[in-house]
Amino acid sequence: MNNSSEEAAATAAVATPAGTGQSGTVVRSTVIRRLFKNPLGIAAMGILLVISLLALLAPVLAPFDQNYANIAKTLAAPDSVNVLGTDSAGRDVWSRLLFGAQLTLLSALLCAGVAIVIGLPAGLIAGYYAGKFEAGSNWVVSILMSLPGLIVLLTIRAAFGPSVWISMIAFGILISPSYFRLTRTAVQSVRNELYVDAARVSGLSDLSIIARHIFSVVRAPIIIQTAAIAGVAIAIQSGLEFLGLGDPTKATWGVMLSEGFKNVYLNPTLLFWPALAMALTIGGLVLLGNALRDALEDGEKIKHRRKAAVPSAGTTPAPSTARPSRKSVAAVDAGTEHHLVKVTNLGVGYPQADGSIKKVVDDVSFHVDRGEILGIVGESGSGKSQTAFSILGLLPDNARIVAGSIQFDGNYTVAPGDERVSQERLSKLRGKRISYIPQEPMSNLDPAFTIGYQLVTPMMRVLGISKEEARTRALKLLTDVGIVNPKRTFDAYPHEVSGGMAQRVLIAGAISCEPDLVIADEPTTALDVTVQADVLDLIRDLQKRLNIGVILVTHNFGVVADLCDRVVVMQNGRLVEEGPVRGILRNPQETYTRTLLGSMLEGREPMTTLVSSTSQGAAS
Amino acid sequence: MIRFIAKRLGSGLVVLLVVSALTFFLLYMSSGSIARNILGDQATAEQVALKEQELGLDQPLVSRYFTWVSDALSGNLGASWFTSEPVANSLASRIPVTMTMVFAAMILIAICAALIGVAAAVKRGWVDRVVQVGAIIGDSVPGFVIGVILVTILAIQLGLFPATSTISPDAGADAWIYSMSLPVIALLINGVTGGAQQIRSAVIKQLERDYVRTLRSRGIGEREILFKHVLRSAAPAGLTVLSLQLIGMLGGVVIIEQIFALPGMGPLAVAATGQSDLPVVMGVVMYTVVVVIVVNLLVDILNGWLNPKVRVS
C-alpha cells in the first residue's frame, strides 16, 4: 500500500514532469527499479557490463598485442595459445577482439558525446527561446538529416584520412539532430506550463529554470536515445572499416570482419567472432533502450489507470452510505423492458500486468426512457465515460465487462455473464439507433475528409440511401443545427471550421440517422463559454423535436440543471445517488453529491439561469 | 499546390548548393598535398608544382569552387585524378546498377513493411510479437553484417546463389533476378523489420484517435475505417519512414555492392575515398544529395496530396 502510493507519486512525476527538483530523482529511481524488474533489461545491462569490463581489461586479459603477428601460424584453428585461433597474418583473434571492443565502445561513446554536446544545448535554446535560432537550426537539421551517414563518412575519410576519432566526431555532428529534436520538443511542451511561468515570475534566472525543470524532463529520453545512437555509431564505423577505409594499425571489429571476409573460403569462423561481438553489443544497447522506454511508459500507463479508477486521497468514499441508495435504484429497474436503456449492476474492468482486474465501473444500475434526458455526473475518473462507452460498445479493446448487463429496447447488448460487449448486436444498433456526440469536436472529425463526406457516408451505409439523397439530408441537417451557410460547411475540411461549428456538425451527424438514443460525452466542455449555451440549447431543441432519449455525461451540475430530467451521480466507479434533477439539486441525500454541488454552485441559488450556470461551469 | 512544389524545389536547390559548397571546401581545404599524394614520394618538387598547376590547385579555393559549379551546370563534373575518366561518365554507367537495386529493395520494403506493420497493428497477438522481436533483431545486426552472413551461408557454404553478382546484359531476366536477389535481400531485411515496426506504431496511433471511435459510433464498418480513414492518416508517417530508409540505404548499398562485387556506385566511391580522388568523391556526394532531394520532394508532394491542409492552402 505504502509502496504503491509512492509509485503513483513517482509515475505522476514522470508523466507530468513536476515542479520540484526532487521529482527528478524520484523518477530516476523508480524507472531504474522498474528496469531491474524487466528480464530483458537485466540481460541487456549484463551483456553491456561484461563487454565493457572485457574492453576495460583488454591490456590485462589479452595474451598478445593487437598487432603481434606470428607469420608461422596463420589462419590457425583454436588451441591453448590462441584460444580463438589466428587470422591470415597470424594475429591472435581473441586479443584483437578484446582491443576491438575497447576501440569500438570508446568510439561509440565519443560519437554520442559529440552529438549530446551539440544537440542538447541547441535543442534547449531552440525550445526555450524559439525565434530565429529555432528557424535556423531547423534548417540545419533538415540538411543534416538528408545526408546518408556512410557517404558523409566517406567524404570525411577522403578529406582527413583514416581516423576512428575524426570519423566518429563527424558522425556525432551528423546525428546530433536526434538530440536536438528530442530536447526541443520536450522543452516546448514544458515551456508554457504554469509552473515554469511561476518559476519565472518568482525571479529565477532562465538558466536555473532550464536546469531544474527542463533537464529533469529530457534526461530519461536522452539515455534511451544514447543507447540507440551508440548502436548506430558502432554499425557505421564497422561498415567503414569493413570497406577497408579504417585505420589499418588498429584492431576493430570492422577490420576483423573485413579480414575474415577476405578469407571466407579458407576460414569462415574468422567472420563469426567479430559479427557476434557486434550483434551482442548493438543488441544489448537496443534492448536496454527498449527496456528503459518500457519502464518509462509503464509508469504513464499505471498513472492513467489510476486516474481512471483509483480513489484520490481527500475525497470521501462512501461505501456504507452508498449501498442503500444503490439498492433503491435497483428496485426502480425491476422488470421493465419498456425502458429504452437499462443498465443493471454493470461492472467494467481492465486486466493488469499482475493478472488482477482493475474495476473502473462497479455495480452501476440505471435506466433511460424515450424522450428523457438522463445526466451522469461525476468528477474525472468516476467511471461515467466508461459507463457511456459500455452502452455504445466502444470500450477499448482490453476492457472487460466483469459483471452485470445492459439492455437496449428490450434486448440485451451485454447479457448477464458476457465478458465483452457483443459487437455483433451493437454494430446493428450503432449509428442507426444509438448515436454519440463526443467531447472534443476537432479531434473527432477525420481531418483528411470533408465535413460533407463524413455526414453523407454514415447515412448511405446505415440508411441505405443514395449519395444524392444523403447529400440533401446532410444539408438540411446542417441547417437544423443552426449553421448559417450549410453549403460552405458541407464542402469544408474540419480544419476550416471553428470548434463550435465542428460540434454542431458532430451533433448533426449524431441525429442524422434518426436514433432513439443519443449519448453525449461532455458535449460542451471543450467549447467557448458563449458557444456552450448555444450547443446546450440545440441539444434540448432537437431532443424535444425528435423525442429521443439522451444520456448526457458531464462533470458540470450547471449543465445538468439546465438540461436533464433525471440525474445519476457517480464516484470512483460507483453510483452514489440517483433521482429527478430538481430533487437532487434541492435536497441531495449523499455527502458526495453535496460536496460536488457545493463546489460548483457555491454562493448561488441551486437553479441558476442558463448563461451564468454554464459560465460558472467553465470557470470552475 | 504548384506554388508548394515550386517552394520545395527551390529549397532543394539551396540545399544542393550548400552541401556542394561545404563538401568542396571540406575536401580541398584539408588535403594539403594533393599533388604529392597523386605522384607519390619519388616525385620532385618541380613535378609536384607542375601537377598542381595542371589540376588548378594553385588557384584560390573560392574561385575553384565557382569554376566547379559552372562546369557542373554544363554537365562536367571533372575527371578522376587517377584514371582520367570523366566523373560524369563513371556516374552515368554506375548509377543504373545501384538505383535498380535500391528501388527494387525499396518497393519490396514498402510492400512487406506495410503489410506486416498493418497486420501487427490491427491483429495484435502473435503477429505483433513477431514484429517486435524482428525489429530488435534487425536493429541489432547491421545490414552489411547480414549481407556477409547471407553470402557465407547461402552462397559459399550451400551454393544456392552466386557469391558475386555481375550483371551481363545478355544474361536474360531470369539470370539477372537470380544474381541480384541476394544483394537485394541483404539490403531489405533491416528495412522490413524496422519499417514494419514503425508502420505498426503509426497505424496504432491512428486507431487510437478520437475520430475512429466516432466513425464506429456512426455505424461505419471496421474495414472501411481501416482502409479509408486510418491507413490514409497513417500514410504520411509511413512515407517518412520509407524515405528515411531510402536515404540510409544510399549508404548501405555501398557496402553491399562491395560485398557482392557489383559494378555500382559502391566500388567507385570506396576506391575514390581510399585514394582521395577528390573529383570523384565530389561527384558521389552530389549524386547522393540529388537523389535525396528528389525523394524528399516526391514525399512532400505525396504528403501534400494526402493532407488537405497543405492541398487547400
Side-chain angles (χ1 to χ4, degrees), chain A residues 40 139 142-143 145-151 153-161 234-236 238-240 242-245 254 257 261 264-265 268 271 275 278-280 282-284 286-287 290 293 389 392 394 397 427 430-432 434-438 440 443-449 453-454 457-458 461-462 493 495-496 505-510 512-513 521, chain B residues 11 14-15 18-19 22-23 26-28 30-31 122 124 132 135-136 139-142 144-145 147-149 151-152 156-157 163 197 209-222 224 228-230 232-233 244 247-248 250-252 254-255 258-260 269-270 272-278 281 284-285 287-289 292 296 306-312:
Chain A
L40 282 179
W139 191 73
S142 72
I143 291 184
M145 299 255 304
S146 64
L147 298 171
L150 195 79
I151 301 289
L153 290 193
L154 289 181
T155 314
I156 297 293
R157 164 68 172 78
F160 295 99
I234 291 173
I236 202 157
S238 307
L240 201 63
F242 180 80
L243 289 173
L245 299 173
L257 260 184
F261 193 58
V264 66
Y265 287 96
L271 278 173
M278 220 185 279
L280 277 179
I282 304 176
V286 170
L287 283 178
N290 279 8
R293 191 182 313 125
F389 287 135
L392 276 163
L394 293 178
D397 283 343
S427 61
R430 257 197 318 259
K432 188 171 191 162
I434 308 179
S435 72
Y436 166 62
I437 301 172
E440 165 60 52
S443 67
N444 278 286
L445 289 164
D446 185 343
F449 290 87
Y453 179 91
Q454 295 183 61
T457 319
R461 300 284 180 279
V462 172
Y493 283 95
H495 72 271
E496 296 172 307
V505 168
L506 284 162
I507 293 172
S512 65
C513 300
D521 183 16
Chain B
S11 73
V14 173
V15 169
V18 169
V19 174
L22 275 177
T23 316
L26 191 74
L27 283 174
Y28 284 90
S30 42
S31 342
V122 176
R124 308 305 274 266
Q132 308 279 10
I136 291 175
D139 280 348
S140 305
V141 189
F144 76 93
V145 178
V148 168
I149 294 171
V151 174
T152 311
I156 294 170
Q157 308 266 333
Q197 157 91 336
R209 292 269 299 267
D210 286 349
Y211 73 79
V212 171
R213 184 169 57 203
T214 301
L215 284 169
R216 286 188 180 131
S217 83
R218 297 281 185 266
I220 304 285
E222 282 301 313
E224 183 171 350
K228 221 162 186 170
H229 297 272
V230 170
R232 187 185 173 130
S233 308
L244 286 175
I247 293 173
L250 292 176
V254 168
I255 313 186
Q258 192 79 355
I259 293 174
F260 290 91
V270 173
T273 304
Q275 297 171 314
S276 293
D277 193 347
L278 301 190
V281 175
V284 170
V285 172
Y287 130 84
T288 313
V289 177
V292 169
N296 282 344
L306 284 167
N307 179 356
K309 270 188 207 173
V310 180
R311 202 187 333 150
V312 171

Side-chain angles (χ1 to χ4, degrees), chain A residues 319-340:
Chain A
S320 53
T321 48
R323 259 171 219 294
S325 59
R326 265 208 318 281
K327 286 264 162 57
S328 67
V329 174
V332 175
D333 283 358
T336 42
E337 59 281 295
H338 64 273
H339 291 314
L340 187 56

Side-chain angles (χ1 to χ4, degrees), chain A residues 302 305-311 348-352 354-361 400 402:
Chain A
I302 290 169
R305 289 199 196 114
R306 278 175 207 279
K307 202 176 136 199
V310 165
V348 178
Y350 288 86
Q352 302 295 297
D354 59 11
S356 66
I357 287 187
K358 176 140 273 169
K359 279 191 183 178
V360 294
V361 175
R400 294 279 176 283
V402 291

Side-chain angles (χ1 to χ4, degrees), chain A residues 370-538:
Chain A
R370 274 169 226 281
E372 182 184 44
I373 304 188
L374 175 79
I376 303 183
V377 194
E379 58 195 32
S380 336
S382 61
K384 55 192 195 304
S385 292
Q386 294 290 319
T387 308
F389 287 135
S390 311
I391 301 170
L392 276 163
L394 293 178
L395 288 168
D397 283 343
N398 55 337
R400 294 279 176 283
I401 304 289
V402 291
S405 63
I406 300 173
Q407 61 190 69
F408 177 81
D409 200 18
N411 294 310
Y412 280 121
T413 56
V414 176
D418 281 1
E419 266 237 312
R420 287 162 180 273
V421 179
S422 161
Q423 291 301 333
E424 196 192 333
R425 277 167 274 178
L426 258 167
S427 61
K428 290 182 195 126
L429 299 173
R430 257 197 318 259
K432 188 171 191 162
R433 302 197 58 198
I434 308 179
S435 72
Y436 166 62
I437 301 172
Q439 172 174 359
E440 165 60 52
M442 279 314 187
S443 67
N444 278 286
L445 289 164
D446 185 343
F449 290 87
T450 61
I451 284 168
Y453 179 91
Q454 295 183 61
L455 283 173
V456 162
T457 319
M459 282 193 273
M460 287 166 62
R461 300 284 180 279
V462 172
L463 303 174
I465 57 178
S466 73
K467 195 172 180 177
E468 226 11 77
E469 199 182 340
R471 187 188 146 85
T472 318
R473 283 183 66 142
L475 286 169
K476 182 171 181 305
L477 279 167
L478 287 174
T479 319
D480 288 350
V481 294
I483 286 171
V484 186
N485 192 339
K487 180 75 184 68
R488 194 199 293 159
T489 307
F490 186 91
D491 291 327
Y493 283 95
H495 72 271
E496 296 172 307
V497 304
S498 69
M501 192 151 345
Q503 191 60 302
R504 287 169 192 274
V505 168
L506 284 162
I507 293 172
I511 59 166
S512 65
C513 300
E514 292 167 352
D516 301 303
L517 175 71
V518 172
I519 295 176
D521 183 16
E522 305 260 11
T524 56
T525 310
L527 300 177
D528 284 347
V529 178
T530 46
V531 186
Q532 287 185 357
D534 292 346
V535 167
L536 290 177
D537 280 344
L538 174 63

Side-chain angles (χ1 to χ4, degrees), chain A residues 246-268:
Chain A
D247 185 347
T249 63
K250 298 251 165 52
T252 64
W253 295 341
V255 168
M256 294 177 72
L257 260 184
S258 168
E259 147 81 17
F261 193 58
K262 279 181 201 133
N263 296 296
V264 66
Y265 287 96
L266 299 170
N267 187 0

Side-chain angles (χ1 to χ4, degrees), chain B residues 144-226:
Chain B
F144 76 93
V145 178
I146 292 180
V148 168
I149 294 171
L150 286 177
V151 174
T152 311
I153 296 175
L154 295 181
I156 294 170
Q157 308 266 333
L158 301 176
L160 296 176
F161 290 93
T164 55
S165 324
T166 26
I167 314 161
S168 145
D170 321 316
D174 289 359
W176 183 81
I177 290 174
Y178 180 62
S179 73
M180 292 297 283
S181 46
L182 215 47
V184 170
I185 291 170
L187 266 183
L188 64 78
I189 287 181
N190 291 89
V192 172
T193 56
Q197 157 91 336
Q198 281 166 303
I199 287 171
R200 165 196 174 271
S201 317
V203 172
I204 287 179
K205 203 171 155 192
Q206 292 302 322
L207 280 170
E208 285 170 353
R209 292 269 299 267
D210 286 349
Y211 73 79
V212 171
R213 184 169 57 203
T214 301
L215 284 169
R216 286 188 180 131
S217 83
R218 297 281 185 266
I220 304 285
E222 282 301 313
R223 190 169 300 194
E224 183 171 350
I225 290 176
L226 178 67

